[in-house]
Amino acid sequence: METPKGILCHSHWLMNHEKMSKSKGNVIDPFDRIQRYTTDGFRYFLLKQGVPSTDSNYSDDKVIIYLNSDLSNSLGNLLNRSVSKSINKSAQYPDFDYNVFVETASADDLRMVESLQQLSEQVGKHYEDFNFYKGIDCIMSQIRDTNRHFTTHQPWELAKDPKQERHLLNVLHVTLETLCVCGILLQPIIPTIAGNLLNRLSVGTQDRGLKEACSPGLVNSNNDKSGSTRPGRLLSNDNAILFE
């Protein structure tokens, strides 16, 4: 038998900051929690809250807070807003115009796009080191920044002015590209939810590898495509709710 290349020694789980004990009646039944929060939801909490180097604390209240904040409000709402027919009338994955983006972008917007281009490498390193919580934190930080970008540029207002069409398409592109990259990187954490997200974006199973997450479909100052084939695709009509 081949000797192990590495050994992961993880810490314990506490229940409300106390050791779990049958005598105290504070032992968590994982099968019960899976029924309550879904397999993906329970996985997400354990991998987000679990820290290998120190004891981790379990709390049902914290599970609900994380799932509502991250999966429902941040990830789910960003997807729902960006594929809304009132904003994305062509139901399409639009292309990206770098020159228009620079004209309308703030310093935060430029940092957001740069961060997206580096996200795959950062998250991959955290996963390799078994620091899944750090990888999740990077992904959710990107999602929150993109939500801010979406809200700041108000695409629902841009959609009312034909002169702002190019600006609108850029906002939609950056949002959908972020969702695509984050969906690919979330597959090891929440495989069912990530799969549903990528299905909604019409990303084929052959295009869900790390290579695709490394190539955000943006355009640089020389108008050179990064290699992504996603722009131009029609979005799926699947309206399944990501998480509730």
Side-chain angles (χ1 to χ4, degrees), residues 27-88:
V27 176
I28 294 298
D29 180 351
F31 298 101
D32 172 72
R33 275 12 183 229
I34 287 173
Q35 290 295 320
R36 187 182 303 185
Y37 305 122
T38 74
T39 301
D40 271 22
F42 196 49
R43 283 171 60 110
Y44 182 82
F45 174 79
L46 294 179
L47 292 171
K48 178 180 174 70
Q49 182 70 10
V51 180
S53 57
T54 60
D55 289 343
S56 301
N57 184 56
Y58 183 89
S59 163
D60 282 314
D61 289 340
K62 187 172 288 187
V63 175
I64 294 172
I65 290 173
Y66 280 176
L67 299 188
N68 285 339
S69 173
D70 293 359
L71 301 187
S72 181
N73 295 338
S74 294
L75 184 63
N77 281 346
L78 184 61
L79 173 64
N80 291 337
R81 293 199 293 173
S82 60
V83 300
S84 170
K85 291 183 179 179
S86 63
I87 296 176
N88 193 339

Side-chain angles (χ1 to χ4, degrees), residues 36-189:
R36 187 182 303 185
Y37 305 122
T38 74
T39 301
D40 271 22
F42 196 49
R43 283 171 60 110
Y44 182 82
F45 174 79
L46 294 179
L47 292 171
K48 178 180 174 70
Q49 182 70 10
V51 180
S53 57
T54 60
D55 289 343
S56 301
N57 184 56
Y58 183 89
S59 163
D60 282 314
D61 289 340
K62 187 172 288 187
V63 175
I64 294 172
I65 290 173
Y66 280 176
L67 299 188
N68 285 339
S69 173
D70 293 359
L71 301 187
S72 181
N73 295 338
S74 294
L75 184 63
N77 281 346
L78 184 61
L79 173 64
N80 291 337
R81 293 199 293 173
S82 60
V83 300
S84 170
K85 291 183 179 179
S86 63
I87 296 176
N88 193 339
K89 297 178 182 179
S90 65
Q92 194 173 34
Y93 206 120
D95 59 7
F96 183 76
D97 189 312
Y98 179 84
N99 293 325
V100 173
F101 177 74
V102 170
E103 292 175 1
T104 59
S106 66
D108 286 340
D109 294 332
L110 295 173
R111 283 192 293 268
M112 178 194 66
V113 168
E114 182 179 357
S115 175
L116 180 63
Q117 294 171 320
Q118 300 170 356
L119 187 63
S120 177
E121 181 179 357
Q122 292 176 343
V123 172
K125 181 64 169 61
H126 290 317
Y127 284 177
E128 289 177 1
D129 293 338
F130 300 104
N131 288 320
F132 299 105
Y133 72 102
K134 290 185 178 181
I136 292 172
D137 285 346
C138 289
I139 294 170
M140 295 314 302
S141 176
Q142 190 72 43
I143 291 292
R144 286 190 293 271
D145 286 346
T146 306
N147 265 305
R148 174 200 53 75
H149 171 80
F150 194 93
T151 300
T152 299
H153 288 269
Q154 300 182 325
W156 54 90
E157 294 294 336
L158 298 176
K160 300 176 184 178
D161 185 355
K163 296 180 180 179
Q164 297 296 327
E165 181 181 14
R166 186 63 263 175
H167 185 181
L168 170 64
L169 294 179
N170 273 359
V171 173
L172 291 175
H173 174 89
V174 170
T175 303
L176 295 175
E177 195 65 14
T178 297
L179 286 167
C180 182
V181 171
C182 291
I184 291 173
L185 296 176
L186 282 170
Q187 288 177 107
I189 309 297

